[in-house]
Amino acid sequence: MGGRKKRQRQAVGKKSPALDRISKVWVPRTGGPGRFVLQSGLGVGGMCEVCSAIDLRRMECGDPRPVVAVKRLLPSLVDNRKAQLALAREFFILRHLTHPGVVRVFDLHREHWGICFSMELLEGASAYSILGEHPSGMGKSGIVAGRKIFDILDYLHAHGVTHGDVKPANIVLEQDGRLVLLDFNVTQFSARPGLASSAMSRGLEKSLHVPAYSRLHSSPQMLCGAAPSPSCDVFSASCTVYELLSGEHPFKMLPADEAATRKLEPVRPACLPGRQWKWLRRGLSFESRDRPSPRQLLAAFGERSWFKSVS
């Protein structure tokens, strides 16, 4: 597949009054027992890391499955106010989203090593690691995975939420066929009455402007400084689905702005029928106005199929 560049992330942004009050409470403390016993690391980004952990409160109450996932700030950022706000904001957004393709969160906590939030422990592998094991892609199973990705985006956008960083590393494929989207720390939303985004908007900034997205999967608009938009999500998702289908990046591992300058044209994956390729190719358009909606892509890729295996 070629090399993949490591993305460094930085936590910057505006203060939100509600989050500012919260961050004064959840400051890192040292010493003393905590609720979680951290086990193995599951993933590391530029701002946070995710670990499996034993929840001692669940164990005390006799829960037969006391192991959860915990997302916490990197040691170098535990005292960074903006990073604290970004992590808390991600939890506040996720708790309002209920969809099988969105990771479930439990609660926000303070441990002696800083603030964190607990969430379900997923049993599967990231699309990034699957592509490493299958350099030629997932073939037709990638069509099923693509259908699920577009279904998730259709749900998010219908609720006024833009993910902002769809890429293989932020997607987990579980053994039962469930596909889950992770990492909502650059998410933006527009408040709409009666939807999840309306509840999110109470005291939260629509964005903390954390530039933590993947250059290889970002739209030309985002690479030029524009805020994430639903159309940008479609571009990132289309790049990701293309990789799942073929094992290759649609623009030869070049960021979209450079690919647009060189006028590169992606080649149809051999496993993808012409009608579906027509819609996926539109999703890879450099111009945002030419991209279809997730619902149109979902229709092109077929009906929802949450319980079909993608193995």
Side-chain angles (χ1 to χ4, degrees), residues 4 24 31 44 49 56 81 87-88 90 105 110 114 124 140 145 176 204 214 223 230-231 235 240 244 252 259 265 274:
R4 292 175 181 267
K24 292 177 181 177
V44 181
E49 63 179 340
L56 296 179
R81 173 70 65 83
L87 183 64
E90 181 179 2
V105 297
R110 180 190 67 215
K140 290 187 177 180
D176 63 359
L204 291 185
S214 164
L223 293 174
S231 176
F235 183 88
T240 298
L244 293 177
K252 304 184 184 300
E265 282 287 333

Side-chain angles (χ1 to χ4, degrees), residues 80-130:
N80 185 306
R81 173 70 65 83
K82 293 174 183 177
Q84 292 174 354
L85 297 181
L87 183 64
R89 178 182 179 276
E90 181 179 2
F91 167 77
F92 294 144
I93 289 173
L94 281 168
R95 69 177 177 178
H96 291 291
L97 300 175
T98 54
H99 185 280
V102 176
V103 64
R104 291 184 297 120
V105 297
F106 301 139
D107 210 344
L108 189 63
H109 313 272
R110 180 190 67 215
E111 294 290 290
H112 62 275
W113 29 258
I115 70 165
C116 64
F117 64 77
S118 55
M119 57 187 174
E120 63 176 320
L121 181 66
L122 299 173
E123 298 179 356
S126 72
Y128 181 89
S129 63
I130 290 174

